[in-house]
Amino acid sequence: MDFDLSEEQRLLQDSVAKLLADKYGFEQRKAYMKTKEGWSTEVWSQMAELGLLGLPFAEDEGGFGGGAVETLLVAEQLGRAIALEPWLTTVVIGGSFLRNGASAELRGALVPKIAAGELKLAFAQVERQSRYDLFDVLTSAKKDGSGYVLNGRKGYVVHGDSAEKLIVTARTAGGQRDLKGIGVFLVDANAPGVQRRGYRTVDGQRAAEVELSDVRAEAVLGNPENGLPLVDQVVDEAIAALAGEAVGAMQVAHDMTVDYMKTRQQFGRPIGSFQALQHRAADMLVALEQARSMSLFAAMAVAERDPAERRKSMAAVKVQVGRSARFVGQQSIQLHGGIAMTMEYACGHYFKRLTVNDAMFGDADHYVRYLSDTGGLVQAA
Amino acid sequence: MDLRFTEEEIAFRKEVRDFIARELPAATRERMIAGKSPTKEQVVEWQRKLNAKGWAAPEWPKEAGGPGWTLAQRYIFREELQQAPAPSPLGFNINMCGPVIIEFGTEAQKKRFLPRMLNLDDWWCQGFSEPGAGSDLAGLKTRAVREGDHYVVNGQKTWTTLAQHADWIFLLVRTDPNAKKQEGISFLLVDMKTPGITVRPIITIEGGHEVNEVFFDDVKVPVENLVGEENKGWDCAKFLLGNERFGQARVGASRERIRRLKVIAQESMDGGRPLMEDPDFRRKVTEIEVELKALEMTVMRVIATETKRKDKKPDPATSVLKIKGTEIQQMCSELLMKAAGPYAWVDGDPEGEGDGNEVDVAPDWALGLAGIYFNWRKQSIYGGSNEIQRNIMAKAFLGL
């Protein structure tokens, strides 16, 4: 049991922190949001230079050879800046699909481009009826010669508007909610039949609605007849990264709140001298520390070999981090008062990001249900 | 960063678990599973078994009679005891008074008291709180006046846990009434058989006799029973209170309660099916399990940082452990009570030797669950109330 970072890990953390300190002030972030991409191509190139875009790939494939702890460290820093770049979708989610589902040949073609910042990926999974169920898929994949042709409609494809390639879940067999018969396909985002309508999400990120009409897939990732275990694995890795991101964002929201409590004067004294507010800030810290503990647990549990155990652990991570994020986010607004209700003040942006973070791939309520239906964490005796 | 236990630690856990399985008397275990406190005899018997093994004082240094364990081993040991469930080493002896004597006591005091503490030849109790000094402990009024080679003690202590079993009491007394309130306090060791001491039971809301009032009427205490310097007792008190670093999280105890809850929720029927099949109930259990997992990791973090720290200042994260640990235990006790439904309301006998079901009025598993729920409301009050913990966090962590 050792929570200390290695020298390399500390360097990684510092280099990301330094980049974001230089490039991700609140005003800079606002400017990035106004660009065509909705994020900074300059920061993206610098992330590539630092090795952040090749982070989870093997070194002999052109990557950095990082594991779950490295991913957690970077995610936490990006959360502190509420960064807008497509790192989660390209590097964590796309990276996991490629590591766990792609041929060495395909990885050889794509990984160097990803690491260089020349290729961005987006995960097209959500459908109108699916809500948070990864297995609820209507989009179809029909075998056609040696390949597949996709038809259907995907929503909330995060960074789907700027990605060059989409990773699409589609049904090769079975009915809408069958666990079997789901395949994962790599699709060129500009292929004939792909229609994308980009939009901004409430947390300042970008997403797209994607329609697929007789789109020919470029490649199959994993087993096209039984791709759900792969999707579960990838989403669990995304959950671990989201936990780190949430912890970073919560830390900043909390720090910001405590600083404000020390300076804001009412009734002739700093509002931080009032015990009702002190106790709320203490409870926020308890929530934050519990979430931080679960983000560390996530980095450990994501490597669990038994997929059912891994899913349960990651569900627990989602529950704790989601509950903490909601409390810290809401109370950071409350303790600030009116100022945090304004668009010009950073706190509300953290709150919005935390709110969306909780809901990505299923919110805390969803995972409480999942975990309680699968026996929970403690065995009866 | 490596977040797993080492091979040695995993082997150690097995050694502890095997020892408990082999040595813990079944009657003690059964009584604790039913939610009752072990009897005095059961506590003494178990502590002596631990002492024979060299495990009576997990946190003590080797030269004082401890096993010389790492923080991780201490944690594993306590967690295994809680999960069994088995009695913990008597806290008054091992975690409160013993460490104070080790840190501040004379060689003569160490020789005289420590071995008897380890073997539970003396049962100690804590004389800190007073009717007018609860959260504001330094406001205590019990007076000790030096007269020749002894002090004369007058005053009253309260909430004195298990004073009815105690052979000795460690006391905070005021020796200088004119000094600022933290500065005129001394730490005294007092034989409970000394004339002038009266113990009066306080029966708590569930009917149990855990706590007492203790009255001191011209009680003569030899000067050699002063620990540390006169008027420096607050240092001992702060040391003692700060010493409890991760004990209050009680992760193992809560895990044992959740296991028990899942068993009972299979027995207890609701809407024609076991309560555990009710999604609403199950989700409440899950919410606690998740908090407990997070707390377990928080404890690990505190252990990891404490292992590396050189100073003896308590980690303010301890407050997180106290607040969350007690909230989780209280939630467990509430769900256990609710799981029993109407049979929770049989008013058992928490002090009785039997299971309280001699007249056969309820399923055995339901007995005493309400009592534990009522009793465990104490957890967020004692050891520095959870509100005091929040004050500490606001000051020490947040600088408010």
Side-chain angles (χ1 to χ4, degrees), chain A residues 1-5 9 69 254 258 261-262 272 275 278-279 281-283 285-286 289-290 292-294 296 300 316 320 323 368-369 371-373 375-381, chain B residues 1-6 9 255 258-260 262-263 279 282-283 286-287 289-291 293-295 297-298 300-301 304 308 320 323-324 387 390-391 393-394 397-400:
Chain A
M1 190 66 53
D2 177 8
F3 290 84
D4 284 357
L5 301 180
Q9 288 167 340
V69 173
H254 188 250
V258 171
M261 289 169 71
K262 289 174 186 169
Q275 195 179 39
Q278 288 179 352
H279 283 196
D283 285 336
L285 184 58
V286 172
E289 291 306 320
Q290 289 282 85
R292 190 190 306 283
S293 292
M294 280 313 249
L296 293 164
M300 183 166 66
Q320 179 65 56
R323 294 276 187 260
V368 166
R369 188 167 65 219
L371 193 49
S372 69
D373 288 348
L377 296 171
V378 178
Q379 293 212 318
Chain B
M1 180 153 22
D2 186 349
L3 307 176
R4 292 158 305 180
F5 284 113
T6 63
E9 285 161 352
R255 195 177 297 119
I258 292 170
R259 280 202 211 117
R260 180 77 182 148
K262 288 187 171 182
V263 170
R282 225 166 38 214
R283 281 169 210 167
T286 299
E287 301 262 8
E289 289 177 85
V290 170
E291 287 270 19
K293 175 52 80 180
L295 182 68
M297 293 305 294
T298 306
M300 297 296 164
R301 288 169 51 204
K308 301 239 156 75
V320 177
I323 292 171
K324 266 298 151 199
E387 287 69 30
R390 291 182 175 92
N391 287 351
M393 289 176 72
F397 261 146
L398 306 177
L400 291 172

Side-chain angles (χ1 to χ4, degrees), chain A residues 75-88:
Chain A
E76 190 177 337
Q77 293 301 320
L78 293 174
R80 291 184 65 97
I82 40 175
L84 303 161
E85 284 63 30
W87 184 78
L88 179 79

Side-chain angles (χ1 to χ4, degrees), chain A residues 33-282:
Chain A
M33 274 170 66
K34 291 199 182 99
T35 63
K36 179 169 66 70
E37 291 79 12
W39 44 272
S40 167
T41 50
E42 187 199 346
V43 172
W44 189 247
S45 311
Q46 284 169 321
M47 289 173 79
E49 281 169 33
L50 287 178
L52 305 184
L53 305 187
L55 189 74
F57 301 107
E59 289 177 58
D60 58 10
E61 291 184 342
F64 190 83
V69 173
E70 284 75 14
T71 300
L72 173 72
L73 294 175
V74 175
E76 190 177 337
Q77 293 301 320
L78 293 174
R80 291 184 65 97
I82 40 175
L84 303 161
E85 284 63 30
W87 184 78
L88 179 79
T89 51
T90 301
V91 179
V92 178
I93 296 174
S96 180
F97 271 120
L98 293 181
R99 276 184 292 113
N100 296 302
S103 64
E105 190 190 352
L106 185 59
R107 273 203 304 277
L110 300 187
V111 170
K113 287 187 184 163
I114 292 173
E118 291 158 10
L119 173 63
K120 300 178 295 298
L121 305 173
F123 183 28
Q125 173 258 316
V126 174
E127 299 183 3
R128 292 277 162 113
Q129 81 293 340
S130 70
R131 197 175 163 83
Y132 300 132
D133 288 332
L134 300 170
F135 55 85
D136 189 325
V137 177
L138 282 173
T139 298
S140 69
K142 291 256 155 37
K143 188 100 181 163
D144 180 48
S146 61
Y148 287 86
V149 171
L150 309 186
N151 278 284
R153 181 168 175 171
K154 296 286 185 177
Y156 188 55
V157 181
V158 180
H159 289 301
D161 57 343
S162 61
E164 287 84 10
K165 290 188 192 298
L166 305 174
I167 295 167
V168 182
T169 53
R171 195 160 275 294
T172 53
Q176 179 191 330
R177 291 176 63 79
D178 285 347
L179 301 181
K180 290 272 169 68
I182 295 167
V184 182
F185 302 91
L186 189 69
V187 169
D188 188 314
N190 296 305
V194 177
Q195 261 195 50
R196 294 184 286 169
R197 292 188 292 281
Y199 59 93
R200 193 162 77 190
T201 55
V202 293
D203 55 337
Q205 306 224 35
R206 297 287 305 178
E209 179 85 359
V210 177
E211 282 187 55
L212 304 163
S213 313
D214 291 331
V215 177
R216 183 159 282 277
E218 282 191 338
V220 178
L221 299 169
N223 179 353
E225 310 297 327
N226 187 22
L228 188 61
L230 172 63
V231 174
D232 283 343
Q233 159 94 41
V234 170
V235 168
D236 284 349
E237 290 183 30
I239 288 172
L242 283 167
E245 191 210 56
V247 167
M250 271 186 260
Q251 179 75 63
V252 173
H254 188 250
D255 288 348
M256 203 181 281
T257 304
V258 171
D259 285 346
Y260 187 77
M261 289 169 71
K262 289 174 186 169
T263 51
R264 170 70 173 167
Q265 303 264 332
Q266 286 289 276
F267 306 102
R269 52 199 244 200
I271 61 170
S273 65
F274 299 119
Q275 195 179 39
L277 307 196
Q278 288 179 352
H279 283 196
R280 195 79 53 77

Side-chain angles (χ1 to χ4, degrees), chain B residues 275-294:
Chain B
L275 178 60
M276 206 56 207
E277 290 175 21
D278 170 38
D280 287 338
F281 183 83
R282 225 166 38 214
R283 281 169 210 167
K284 285 181 187 159
V285 180
T286 299
E287 301 262 8
I288 300 177
E289 289 177 85
V290 170
E291 287 270 19
L292 184 64
K293 175 52 80 180

